Amino acid sequence: MINKISILAGILALIVAPNVADAKGRYSIKTTGDVVQLRDAESDIVVSVLTPVSNAYEMVIKGHDVFRMSIGSVDAMRANPGLNGIPLLAPFANRLDGTYFFANGRKYNFDLENGTVRGPVPIHGYIAAASAWKVVEAKADSRGAWITETLDFYKNPLFMQNFPFAHVLTRKYRLSEGALEVRLTIDNLASEPMPVSVGYHPFFWLTDSNRAEWTLTVPAKTHWELTETKVPTGKTEPADVFW
């Protein structure tokens, strides 16, 4: 049974109660075309990653897929990555109150005609549909199975037009000890500080247990208050007050 989901700063971890199994050969990698699968035989977990979009769209645990797949097939996902698996929200997350942003004392206006940013309330950035991720490493050893990919944001003129800060994104999915971790590294190649506001948008199914048996842990210290349109007001309160 899946019994805990923990959302950490920069890490999404799903923790699973392990089966009793021989630890020899516990972790492995399987590659089929542009899909890489991370396997944990002892915990009976298979994570499938569509590599061009670096999206873990499927996580089958003891026969149950815990990720919600809103598109009917992987082929359809290739054509329209959308919100499947664990989309990355970048170069900005949540909603903005206008078609612009401020950084380093300057105002940057979005070009709404280049096909990346949606208006009038920009939301969740535009990296979720990026299809230029490159596999750096896909390996397994006695401690886990993982895949690491990079996206050269600065090489895409349309990306840079609406967020002119050259950078590289590196994402690593690691399956180990019954947990899937998603880690993101951002390398700023620009000549000035780069604003960072990123997040993840996981979609889960409740599969083999009742809602009351699940635990959601969000170890945030601060809650940002929102308007009716879900745009941050700038005001905050302790997370304990919100919960």
Side-chain angles (χ1 to χ4, degrees), residues 136-170:
V136 175
E137 184 178 57
K139 290 186 177 180
D141 59 19
S142 60
R143 295 173 295 178
W146 65 92
I147 178 173
T148 303
E149 294 190 82
T150 60
L151 178 68
D152 293 330
F153 184 97
Y154 69 95
K155 290 183 178 181
N156 189 314
L158 295 180
F159 286 1
M160 289 291 291
Q161 185 176 6
N162 274 334
F163 192 78
F165 296 90
H167 64 282
V168 175
L169 299 163
T170 302

Side-chain angles (χ1 to χ4, degrees), residues 130-239:
S131 58
W133 289 85
K134 303 298 182 183
V135 177
V136 175
E137 184 178 57
K139 290 186 177 180
D141 59 19
S142 60
R143 295 173 295 178
W146 65 92
I147 178 173
T148 303
E149 294 190 82
T150 60
L151 178 68
D152 293 330
F153 184 97
Y154 69 95
K155 290 183 178 181
N156 189 314
L158 295 180
F159 286 1
M160 289 291 291
Q161 185 176 6
N162 274 334
F163 192 78
F165 296 90
H167 64 282
V168 175
L169 299 163
T170 302
R171 178 151 57 177
K172 182 176 183 178
Y173 293 100
R174 180 178 176 82
L175 184 59
S176 180
E177 297 296 331
L180 173 65
E181 292 186 348
V182 184
R183 296 177 178 266
L184 179 69
T185 301
I186 301 175
D187 290 308
N188 179 18
L189 307 181
S191 59
E192 58 183 325
M194 185 185 90
V196 175
S197 174
V198 298
Y200 291 104
H201 203 313
F203 291 78
F204 299 110
W205 288 113
L206 298 183
T207 58
D208 63 339
S209 58
N210 295 324
R211 186 187 184 98
E213 296 175 356
W214 285 62
T215 300
L216 175 65
T217 302
V218 183
K221 296 181 179 180
T222 304
H223 169 238
W224 290 73
E225 296 182 2
L226 304 178
T227 66
E228 291 183 358
T229 58
K230 299 183 180 180
V231 174
T233 65
K235 297 181 180 179
T236 63
E237 64 181 359

Side-chain angles (χ1 to χ4, degrees), residues 37-63:
Q37 290 185 327
L38 313 179
R39 296 168 177 255
D40 179 346
E42 182 173 320
S43 295
D44 194 4
I45 303 175
V46 177
V47 176
S48 299
V49 178
L50 182 59
T51 57
V53 297
S54 188
N55 196 321
Y57 66 89
E58 182 180 71
M59 185 174 184
V60 178
I61 303 175
K62 301 176 183 177

Side-chain angles (χ1 to χ4, degrees), residues 77-115:
M77 186 179 170
R78 289 187 183 94
N80 180 18
L83 298 179
N84 289 276
I86 309 177
L88 172 61
L89 313 182
F92 58 89
N94 203 5
R95 293 164 172 81
L96 303 182
D97 59 359
T99 55
Y100 53 83
F101 68 95
F102 293 90
N104 302 322
R106 292 193 298 275
K107 181 180 180 180
Y108 293 88
N109 293 298
F110 291 133
D111 183 342
L112 299 181
E113 296 182 357
N114 86 348

